[in-house]
């Protein structure tokens, strides 16, 4: 019997976390929802839990073997949240949104009778996001609390500190005196203290916070978010507000650990293992609550060149939306859940208990940074020894800016040159080439049988040598402001994407690569892409012509896809399923960085194109030119000229303007969202000698041939018109300004004539409009320019008599039309 | 609208037939072959299609799936500079409430690949797709309206929270305080300046901050029976000055307490240098006397320095002093525009501790003061 058991033991199932740490759940009273904000224990083992609902629950027998035996009753009610709770010598302190309080039971009936104010000394504006968190205490009896910044519409991604000391960590002395301790925090949802008395806080990804992080806090530190600086001398102690967009010019303390976004997206608090061995082999290390992914992480800190930094690893997953962790006297790790308003892996409320089974897992025990690698120690001797090839190391950093978080940037492999395993197999040194400070590294160790084989180490400094000033969160140029970027653009394929184009054989569909044959698309009904999948597709060619433009479009190619974007019908930006050739300018330069990610991937391409220039004799004096072509934000061509026209070019001799043309006959391609913005002012010359521009109000009431121009902004779903000819108070010729999509035609349409079906303009964004009305022999000719581009030209049936011009600013009720700099000039009165 | 088989052209005719045969519902529910099947439900009676979720799903597939994945797992075919959010855990950048997700879909997230759709989708479409993406996540424990209702039962309740303006044109009270008594009265304070703003009668409060992401203002439910000095009173206490005139005393909240079946507010009185020179506890309760009704406030001094002249600030209204019959008591009568008046009567009881811990009551009663009879009733009752 026994030999068979031994064989079976050798064929053990792959290890899992629950083999080493079990999780069970307390059962709150029927119908009660515990959204945990704080937890701590009285000396007799009673658990006290504060919640987001302003209650403090008293839990007897929370440590009983059967979790169902825990008995709950409400100890206190009516608090203003309670995102931190601390027991000090059996005195109960709760961190409310507006008050740090002591809760006192005067008559011993286990119901709170008296709530004493320790401090209320920080500002509250009433913004819902102004949370306050706590609640570690140092040896001198000082509490540490943190305050969230506020968020307001419409630019709700900018955190603002409207009132005193929001965005700060504050120190509250035993007598209640509250002083600012550190600043630059955003959403400091968790605080903790290690066994050496070092204070930490966790912050959450958002503006000025590329990822979640764990920060070691010392007095006077600044952690990056500018809003808090309002309450410093530089800003008059509150008189002025700092910029939300410019990087603050203050010395910035990096976090001890940047948490990989895939591991932690809403970090709660952290707590050291003080169980004296009852919770496994990780004494003194810290455990971190993670709400969104519903797990607990483990951290290993060390001091390097006087700075705290270290590694994070996954520890126990699939627990619940963990916001708070706290050790019980018996070495159980309690986890408190809440996810209301944010979402996270369930359960989204309640309490769980995590206990060590007594079995030691195969894990990293500790991680030390070396000048040229890492020294890894393990909880048990390695059974299998990894080779250098089985260790991979990828370094990355982040952008530090007002953008909501940052992806991992500048990812690159760090070459592992060798591994040295100690004789007792309890530790291993990984040597690598070119390890640099100012980078985070993700290290994966295969072939060692580890339960969690990845760690992420934040290399703020290397152990020796001069300290680096490179931060892992790198100051970069702020991203374009959303609003400022939009003025002047025309969207050429919105709503009716074909109206402004010749598009034989092109379809409007949703596409994906055909998994069976990646040289083909699978089309489904939708409006995500313009595809030349009709039989014998011709080119996608704009009806309008352009000179110097900024352009933007999305493109996706199948395997073997082949197309190109021709400017002015002649100069080609190549679009081809080939990493080296895609986005090259034919006759000019190729892309200097490979940004083409392969078939089936959408890319956003932007750039500037300048038409060739000719002198009065028609001789070319400047070549056509491309500048700043970027693909997905990465610049691939800085500047290139094109001398001769290239193969596939149409249009005969070079000229000053031409259409945009996407090749449709060479191969399959999918396009989306084509936009242009004129670079030079497309002021077409008028016939005759025009008089100068006058304000519209001075135009008088008998107008025949004229031009009118102005800067207009039309509200969302708004509808207005310019009546170009009014006779006897009857408008007989009207230019529509329309964002409803339900009237005769979109902005630029002349009522009663062929409607414009493309939505060229975004509501709420100003645009330049010009219209010219001229009587010819047989008709009145009207031309309409939007943002400098001629979008409409019609002739009436017979010339119109003179009349008035008027603005009709509100056709659809609720329309807001802003008309600025309205001017008229007469070509003939 | 679902397409009926040709012989059922109008919902009315379908209803009529429904009375007589079951076959109508079968045919009404079954779309013709030319229509695409979708996930919506079709009403058997009217044949109308409840398309909300399916409309949201269609918009999602058209606008969102490229980045966020067909099933919302964040793994769309478009590669971005960071992973698109997965909706399956119900986690969103700025919260998973309808308002927050609507804002994100409308405006985008500054600088990230998430664009705004305000110019692409109309309001109805945005609502539909927002409902859809939230529905991709797990069920949430949103408290029912009724669960947020906090009532005072057999023990007074003290509630801290944000409060909206007590009257139009007044500021919000981010640090608010409600003391709820078992007699149905709620005393509403600004905790930062320790001022009673108003007194309410009725139900207690709705904990609106149990909804959304928290931080919403509480909703006191009682009817306002007294708006103290228009809802924006001065500080309550004044010190008599040797130079004549009175000095406002700044107050600082110390504690709230429930004891002796009362809810108490305790605060420190600060001198001109911000130093505490004594404390006060106060509590309020309902009162009716001689046809008048209102409330009584009890003030207990704690460690009051000897010889201190501390006066309670009177309302900013024109008042007259009246003698209450033979009772030896006087009252201040303040006329209000609507013909009612309120009366302030104060007493000073010296308790055994001596003046240091004196108790003073001030009664506020409401009624009609325009006829001598009503005041006489009060004089009777006071005796």
């Amino acid at each position: 019997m026994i030999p068979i058991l031994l064989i079976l033991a050798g064929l053990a199932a792959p290890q899992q976390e629950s083999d080493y740490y079990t999780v069970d759940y307390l059962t709150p009273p029927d119908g009660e929802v515990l959204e945990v904000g704080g937890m701590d224990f009285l000396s007799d083992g009673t658990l006290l839990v504060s919640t987001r609902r302003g209650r403090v629950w008293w839990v007897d027998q929370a440590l009983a073997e059967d979790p169902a035996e825990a008995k709950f009753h409400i100890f206190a009610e009516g608090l203003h949240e309670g995102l931190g709770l601390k027991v000090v010598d059996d005195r109960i302190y709760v961190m409310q949104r507006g008050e740090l309080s002591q809760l006192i039971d005067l008559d011993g009936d286990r119901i709170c009778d008296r709530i004493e104010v320790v401090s209320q000394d920080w500002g509250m504006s009433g913004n819902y996001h102004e949370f306050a968190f706590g609640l570690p205490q140092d040896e001198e009896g000082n509490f540490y609390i943190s305050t969230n910044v506020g968020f307001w519409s419409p630019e709700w991604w900018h955190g603002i500190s409207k009132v005193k000391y929001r965005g700060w960590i504050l120190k509250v002395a035993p007598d209640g005196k509250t002083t600012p301790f550190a600043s630059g925090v955003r959403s400091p949802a968790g605080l903790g203290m290690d066994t050496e008395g070092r204070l930490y806080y966790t912050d959450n990804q958002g503006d000025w916070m590329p990822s979640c992080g764990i920060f070691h806090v010392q007095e006077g530190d600044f952690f990056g978010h500018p809003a808090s600086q309002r309450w410093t001398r530089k800003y008059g102690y509150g008189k002025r507000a700092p910029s939300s967009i410019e990087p603050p010019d203050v010395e910035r303390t990096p976090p001890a650990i940047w948490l990989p976004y895939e591991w932690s997206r809403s970090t709660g608090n952290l707590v050291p293992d003080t169980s004296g061995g009852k919770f496994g082999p990780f004494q003194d290390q810290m455990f971190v609550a993670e709400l969104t992914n519903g797990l607990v992480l483990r951290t290993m800190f060390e001091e390097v060149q006087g700075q705290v930094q270290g590694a994070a690893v996954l520890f126990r997953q699939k627990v619940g939306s963990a916001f708070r962790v706290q050790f019980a006297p018996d070495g159980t790790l309690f986890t408190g859940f809440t996810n209301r308003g944010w979402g996270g892996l369930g359960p989204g409320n309640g309490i769980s208990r995590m206990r060590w089974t007594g079995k030691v897992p195969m894990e990293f025990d500790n991680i030390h940074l070396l000048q040229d690698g890492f020294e890894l120690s393990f909880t048990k001797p390695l059974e299998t020894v990894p080779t250098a090839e089985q260790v991979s190391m990828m370094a990355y950093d982040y952008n530090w800016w007002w953008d909501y978080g940052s992806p991992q940037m500048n990812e690159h492999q760090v070459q592992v040159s060798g591994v040295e395993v100690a004789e007792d197999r309890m530790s291993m040194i990984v040597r690598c080439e070119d390890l640099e400070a100012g980078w985070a590294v993700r290290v994966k160790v295969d072939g060692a049988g580890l339960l969690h084989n990845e760690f992420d180490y934040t290399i703020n400094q290397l152990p020796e040598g001069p300290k680096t000033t490179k931060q892992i969160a790198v100051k970069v140029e702020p991203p374009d402001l959303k609003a400022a970027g939009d003025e002047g653009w025309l969207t050429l394929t919105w709503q009716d994407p074909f109206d402004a184009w010749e598009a034989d054989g092109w379809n409007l569909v949703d596409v994906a690569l055909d998994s069976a044959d990646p040289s083909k698309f699978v089309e489904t009904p939708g409006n995500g892409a313009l595809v030349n999948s009709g039989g014998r597709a011709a080119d996608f060619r704009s009806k309008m012509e352009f000179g110097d433009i900024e352009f933007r479009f999305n493109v996706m190619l199948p395997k073997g896809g082949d197309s190109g974007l021709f400017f002015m019908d002649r100069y080609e930006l190549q679009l081809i399923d080939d990493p080296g050739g895609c986005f090259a300018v034919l006759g000019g330069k190729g892309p200097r960085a490979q940004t083409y990610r392969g078939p089936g991937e959408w890319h956003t391409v932007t750039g500037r194109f300048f038409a060739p220039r000719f002198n009065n004799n028609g001789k070319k004096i400047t070549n056509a030119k491309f500048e700043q072509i970027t693909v997905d934000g990465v610049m691939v061509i800085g500047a290139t000229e094109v001398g001769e026209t290239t193969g596939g070019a149409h249009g005969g001799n070079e000229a000053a303007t031409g259409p945009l043309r996407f090749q449709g006959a060479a191969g399959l391609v999918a396009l989306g969202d084509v936009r242009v913005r004129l670079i030079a002012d497309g002021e077409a010359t008028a016939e005759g000698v025009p008089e100068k521009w006058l304000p519209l109000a001075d135009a008088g009431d008998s107008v025949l041939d004229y031009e009118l121009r102005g800067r207009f902004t039309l509200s969302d779903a708004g509808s207005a018109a310019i009546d170009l000819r009014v006779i006897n108070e009857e408008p007989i010729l009207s230019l529509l300004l329309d964002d409803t999509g339900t009237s005769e035609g979109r902005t630029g349409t002349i009522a009663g004539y062929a409607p414009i079906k493309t939505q060229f303009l975004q509501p709420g964004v100003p645009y330049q409009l010009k219209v010219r009305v001229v009587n010819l022999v047989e008709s009145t000719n009207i031309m309409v320019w939007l943002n400098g581009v001629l979008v409409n030209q019609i002739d009436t049936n017979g010339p119109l008599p003179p009349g008035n011009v008027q603005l009709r600013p509100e056709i659809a009720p609720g329309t807001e039309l802003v008309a600025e700099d309205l001017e008229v000039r007469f070509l003939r009165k | 609208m679902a397409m009926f088989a040709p012989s059922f052209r109008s919902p009315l005719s379908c209803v009529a037939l429904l009375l007589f045969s079951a076959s109508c519902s079968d045919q009404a529910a079954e779309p013709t072959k030319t229509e695409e099947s979708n996930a919506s439900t079709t009403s058997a009676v009217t044949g109308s299609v409840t398309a909300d979720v399916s409309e949201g799903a269609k918009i999602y597939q058209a606008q969102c799936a490229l980045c966020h994945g067909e099933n919302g797992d964040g793994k769309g075919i478009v590669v971005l500079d960071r992973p698109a959010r997965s909706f399956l855990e119900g986690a969103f950048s700025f919260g998973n409430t309808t308002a927050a997700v609507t804002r994100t879909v409308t405006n985008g997230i500054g600088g990230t690949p998430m664009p705004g759709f305000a110019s692409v989708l109309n309001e109805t479409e945005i609502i539909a797709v927002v409902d859809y993406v939230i529905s991709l996540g797990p069920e949430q424990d949103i408290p029912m309206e009724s669960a947020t209702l906090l009532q005072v039962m057999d023990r007074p309740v003290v509630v801290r929270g944000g409060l909206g303006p007590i009257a139009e044109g007044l500021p919000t009270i981010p640090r608010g305080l409600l003391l709820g008594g078992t007699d149905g009265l709620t005393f509403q304070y600004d905790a930062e300046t320790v001022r009673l703003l108003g007194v309410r009668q009725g139900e207690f409060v709705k904990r609106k901050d149990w909804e959304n992401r928290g931080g919403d203002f509480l909703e006191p439910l009682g009817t306002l029976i007294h708006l103290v000095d228009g809802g924006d009173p001065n500080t309550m206490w004044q010190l008599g000055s040797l130079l004549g005139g009175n000095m406002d005393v700044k107050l600082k909240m110390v504690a709230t307490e429930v004891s002796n079946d009362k809810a108490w507010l305790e605060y420190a009185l600060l001198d001109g240098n911000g130093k505490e020179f004594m404390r006060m506890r106060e509590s309020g309760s309902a009162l009716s006397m001689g046809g008048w009704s209102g409330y009584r406030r009890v003030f207990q001094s704690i460690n009051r320095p000897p010889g201190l002249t501390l006066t309670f600030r009177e309302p900013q209204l024109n008042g007259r002093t009246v003698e209450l019959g033979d009772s030896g008591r006087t009252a201040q009568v303040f006329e209000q525009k609507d013909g009612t008046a309120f009366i302030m009567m104060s007493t000073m009881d010296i308790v055994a501790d001596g003046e240091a811990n004196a108790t003073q009551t001030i009664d506020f009663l409401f009624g009609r003061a325009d006829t001598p009879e009503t005041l006489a009733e009060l004089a009777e009752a006071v005796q």
Side-chain angles (χ1 to χ4, degrees), chain A residues 83-103:
Chain A
L83 301 182
L85 188 150
K86 181 124 186 104
V87 173
V88 180
D89 298 333
D90 279 351
R91 292 192 307 277
I92 304 163
Y93 294 89
V94 172
M95 185 59 192
Q96 300 186 58
R97 182 179 270 246
E99 186 180 305
L100 173 56
S101 320
Q102 186 187 352
L103 273 53

Side-chain angles (χ1 to χ4, degrees), chain A residues 37-39 83 134-135 189-192 201-202 214 266-271 286-290 322-326 334 336:
Chain A
M39 291 187 294
L83 301 182
L135 183 54
L191 292 137
Y201 95 95
T202 62
I214 304 175
S266 261
T267 324
N269 75 322
L270 66 170
V271 71
M286 297 191 82
F287 293 88
V288 188
E290 157 56 16
F323 185 54
R324 293 294 182 243
V325 283
Q326 178 65 288
F334 276 67

Side-chain angles (χ1 to χ4, degrees), chain A residues 531-583:
Chain A
V531 183
N532 55 340
S533 51
R536 294 173 178 264
D539 294 340
F540 194 70
R541 184 176 189 278
S542 70
K543 293 178 186 165
M544 296 164 286
E545 294 198 355
F546 311 96
D548 299 346
I549 49 170
E550 280 183 66
F551 60 89
R552 188 195 140 112
F553 63 94
N554 298 331
V555 63
M556 188 258 274
L557 293 155
K559 186 154 182 293
D562 187 358
S563 178
L565 171 54
F566 287 83
F567 289 78
M568 302 178 61
D569 239 355
R570 290 164 203 101
Y571 312 103
E572 184 183 358
L573 174 66
Q574 184 167 240
L575 304 168
I576 190 168
D577 174 36
D578 164 22
C582 196
F583 311 122

